[in-house]
Amino acid sequence: MEPDAPPPRYNIPPGTWISGIRQVAHDSAPEQLELWWGYRPKWAKGRSAQPINARVETVATSGYFKHAFARQRCIVPADGWYEWLATETGKQPHYLTRLDREPLAFAGIYAEREDGSLGCAILTEPARGRAAEVHDRMPLILDDASLEPWLDPDLTDRETMRSVVRHLEAGLIEHWPVSRDVNRPGNDEDAGLINPA
């Protein structure tokens, strides 16, 4: 008997466990695992920064991220994400997702933490298409053809990565305003959070 699938989550805050996919060797199958959403390699010690995002512009050259970018890349599957748009009445949350409602594949990196668990950061890039109407950054969302090379730990050269990894077409993303209840991180099980406000 297979274990029950985990319940869907609609408002996942940083600093919690999230699902990810990695591949530890070129000839091994990708595996699903739980990752702590907060990246701090064990060599960085306890009080170092624990970023949840890494910028695509610097992830390959930053001393904090470059080893993980070369050899410890992952995918964080999601249906969408939230951003907040400044309005005259305060910040209005928006839900961003694919027009066709297909799952998204966020590009991530991971590293072993001091306690032996794995922590991750999601890569971000300048916002494109309609996502730029809400925020100046967005997750790096991989297109289908990029999933296999992104996970391949033997693919380590930055220029080769640039030539084979592509982000999702910007025109496939849409957004709409949602309830301000998403401002409460504990509110995670309400499917209505992603409905138009």
Side-chain angles (χ1 to χ4, degrees):
M1 184 171 172
E2 293 187 12
D4 293 334
R9 299 172 66 190
Y10 297 93
N11 191 18
I12 301 175
T16 57
W17 294 100
I18 59 176
S19 294
I21 300 168
R22 70 168 178 173
Q23 184 176 356
V24 295
H26 176 75
D27 58 354
S28 66
E31 61 181 12
Q32 185 171 345
L33 71 165
E34 293 297 297
L35 300 164
W36 183 256
W37 190 7
Y39 175 92
R40 184 166 60 210
K42 62 181 179 181
W43 55 260
K45 306 302 180 188
R47 297 199 174 204
S48 300
Q50 192 173 194
I52 59 170
N53 296 324
R55 298 170 70 94
V56 295
E57 298 91 336
T58 56
V59 68
T61 55
S62 161
Y64 205 56
F65 298 126
K66 64 182 180 180
H67 174 76
F69 176 77
R71 298 192 176 276
Q72 294 175 305
R73 296 181 300 271
C74 62
I75 291 169
V76 177
D79 291 315
W81 76 99
Y82 299 106
E83 296 291 0
W84 281 256
L85 179 65
T87 71
E88 293 180 357
T89 58
K91 289 188 175 181
Q92 172 63 54
H94 280 239
Y95 181 66
L96 297 93
T97 188
R98 280 183 63 144
L99 284 166
D100 57 12
R101 304 300 184 265
E102 288 293 311
L104 303 169
F106 295 162
I109 56 173
Y110 69 92
E112 184 179 349
R113 296 159 51 86
E114 277 193 282
D115 64 3
S117 66
L118 299 176
C120 72
I122 294 171
L123 272 61
T124 66
E125 64 174 350
R128 301 174 295 114
R130 294 203 59 206
E133 299 170 355
V134 186
H135 199 270
D136 61 348
R137 306 287 297 179
M138 65 182 286
L140 173 58
I141 305 168
L142 301 171
D143 70 6
D144 289 346
S146 300
L147 303 181
E148 187 175 329
W150 180 256
L151 289 177
D152 187 349
D154 287 351
L155 184 57
T156 61
D157 179 70
R158 181 173 50 160
E159 294 307 317
T160 304
M161 291 287 295
R162 284 181 177 168
S163 69
V164 299
V165 173
R166 296 279 179 262
H167 50 209
L168 187 72
E169 181 185 330
L172 291 175
I173 300 297
E174 68 171 339
H175 67 85
W176 55 81
V178 294
S179 168
R180 285 187 166 92
D181 286 345
V182 302
N183 293 335
R184 295 180 301 175
N187 196 0
D188 192 14
E189 299 176 359
D190 182 3
L193 291 177
I194 64 174
N195 293 338

